[in-house]
Amino acid sequence: MNKSANKSSGGPNMTSKEKKVIGAYYKRRFYNGRTVFARAVDYIALRVILLIACYLWFAVNVQSLAMAAVLTIASVTAISIFAELVKSIRFEKFCLREKERLRRKLFTESLALMPKAEFLCIVREYIKANAAEFAGESLVYTAQTIAPVDEETVLSACRTAAKKGRVSLFIFSASSVSREARALAARYENINVAFIPSDILCASASSQKAMPSDADIAAYIIKQNEQRITRRKKAFSEPFGAARSARYILVAAALFTLSFFVKYTLYYRVLAGACISLAALSFYIGHAPSAASKNA
């Protein structure tokens, strides 16, 4: 399994930390977001259940309890090795599928963000590679947008084709095509509308040189991981912002005041002390110099 993760890490020029980040990404996707702790608990629980089940079965069918214990350990070990082998094969195939999915995703994003001239160059290369499809009176229409092709785009393209007297219309899109757009295109009887969305461009040989490399995919995963860490830090530090210290102090003052009028005085004052601690922590986090300012 580790070999599969290293194959998907983007190349030998990457540091061990970057390879670890990429390997963790594939594992997290493979296990549907479950943490290492959750996977470890599942692993142990399944083995314990399997151990008990095997022992009970062998204890009933084998006269010697010692032999039943030996057979149980051997069976659990063999099943575990087989399960890990199957999981390793599945993980390797998943890494290939996930890398291809990311490659298509990055390619689709690049189609919408690249300059118009580059997008038209990819369209021209596709037309040259499939010249037989574009023979006759046809019109090529491009939609370089991130959003799927909608009805307005189809309507504009069909109007342009009708104005120029074309019977065939090819709409090249940097994204996908909506269901409503396809339904509208099917309603035109005098114009044959064909869509060339990003997934078809991605599969064409003429677009292979524009496809993201393994290094691009690795860089994308690392960037996504950095953004995820930033979001987690922000979510953790948000309750302790500098603006919240005054609120904690007000709550502490209210609790301390109420402690003189209630039965459980000690508990209220303990909670007031906890609020004062949170206020001090918020003040420290809000006014502590950041790493960037220290380096400056």
Side-chain angles (χ1 to χ4, degrees):
M1 186 179 297
N2 294 333
K3 291 181 180 180
S4 303
N6 291 334
K7 289 180 181 178
S8 305
S9 61
N13 296 328
M14 304 190 67
T15 63
S16 58
K17 182 179 179 180
E18 292 174 336
K19 290 182 178 181
K20 185 177 180 181
V21 168
I22 295 172
Y25 167 83
Y26 283 105
K27 288 182 180 180
R28 187 167 58 251
R29 293 281 301 179
F30 179 72
Y31 291 106
N32 296 321
R34 285 185 296 166
T35 62
V36 177
F37 177 76
R39 299 201 299 264
V41 171
D42 290 343
Y43 181 89
I44 295 173
L46 288 174
R47 266 57 182 184
V48 170
I49 294 173
L50 183 62
L51 185 69
I52 295 174
C54 289
Y55 180 76
L56 292 176
W57 193 87
F58 284 117
V60 172
N61 294 276
V62 179
Q63 295 181 353
S64 174
L65 294 180
M67 181 60 67
V70 172
L71 292 175
T72 298
I73 294 175
S75 299
V76 172
T77 302
I79 294 173
S80 299
I81 293 174
F82 177 76
E84 288 300 315
L85 179 61
V86 173
K87 186 191 298 182
S88 177
I89 296 173
R90 289 179 57 239
F91 180 73
E92 185 173 357
K93 293 181 178 179
F94 171 81
C95 288
L96 296 176
R97 292 196 305 269
E98 179 65 14
K99 184 184 291 187
E100 187 62 26
R101 186 189 73 82
L102 290 177
R103 198 185 309 278
R104 290 175 176 270
K105 173 183 172 64
L106 294 178
F107 176 76
T108 301
E109 292 178 355
S110 67
L111 285 178
L113 298 176
M114 68 175 51
K116 186 72 173 181
E118 294 184 16
F119 180 68
L120 293 177
C121 181
I122 294 177
V123 171
R124 282 194 294 269
E125 290 181 1
Y126 179 88
I127 294 175
K128 290 179 181 178
N130 303 271
E133 298 180 16
F134 298 89
E137 297 292 330
S138 60
L139 174 69
V140 174
Y141 191 92
T142 60
Q144 193 180 2
T145 58
I146 295 179
V149 174
D150 56 9
E151 297 168 284
E152 291 294 333
T153 303
V154 174
L155 184 61
S156 177
C158 289
R159 285 175 177 173
T160 304
K163 184 177 180 180
K164 294 185 177 182
R166 307 298 172 86
V167 295
S168 296
L169 172 64
F170 295 89
I171 300 179
F172 285 80
S173 170
S175 58
S176 59
V177 182
S178 66
R179 184 183 302 175
E180 294 79 8
R182 293 186 182 274
L184 178 62
R187 291 164 59 183
Y188 278 90
E189 298 179 356
N190 299 328
I191 301 176
N192 183 23
V193 183
F195 294 98
I196 314 294
S198 59
D199 54 347
I200 296 180
L201 289 176
C202 181
S204 65
S206 59
S207 300
Q208 293 305 310
K209 61 181 181 181
M211 293 292 291
S213 62
D214 290 351
D216 296 330
I217 296 174
Y220 173 79
I221 293 175
I222 293 172
K223 185 177 180 181
Q224 290 294 312
N225 182 72
E226 293 175 352
Q227 294 177 352
R228 186 174 66 91
I229 293 175
T230 302
R231 288 194 299 267
R232 289 175 60 183
K233 288 182 178 179
K234 184 178 179 181
F236 174 78
S237 61
E238 197 171 277
F240 303 102
R244 296 181 180 270
S245 58
R247 300 180 185 179
Y248 288 126
I249 293 175
L250 290 176
V251 174
L255 290 172
F256 185 77
T257 303
L258 287 173
S259 66
F260 293 99
F261 304 98
V262 296
K263 184 176 180 180
Y264 301 100
T265 302
L266 179 62
Y267 296 111
Y268 276 76
R269 293 181 179 178
V270 168
L271 291 174
C275 289
I276 292 295
S277 300
L278 290 174
L281 181 61
S282 301
F283 182 83
Y284 173 76
I285 293 177
H287 294 81
S290 61
S293 60
K294 287 181 180 179
N295 296 332

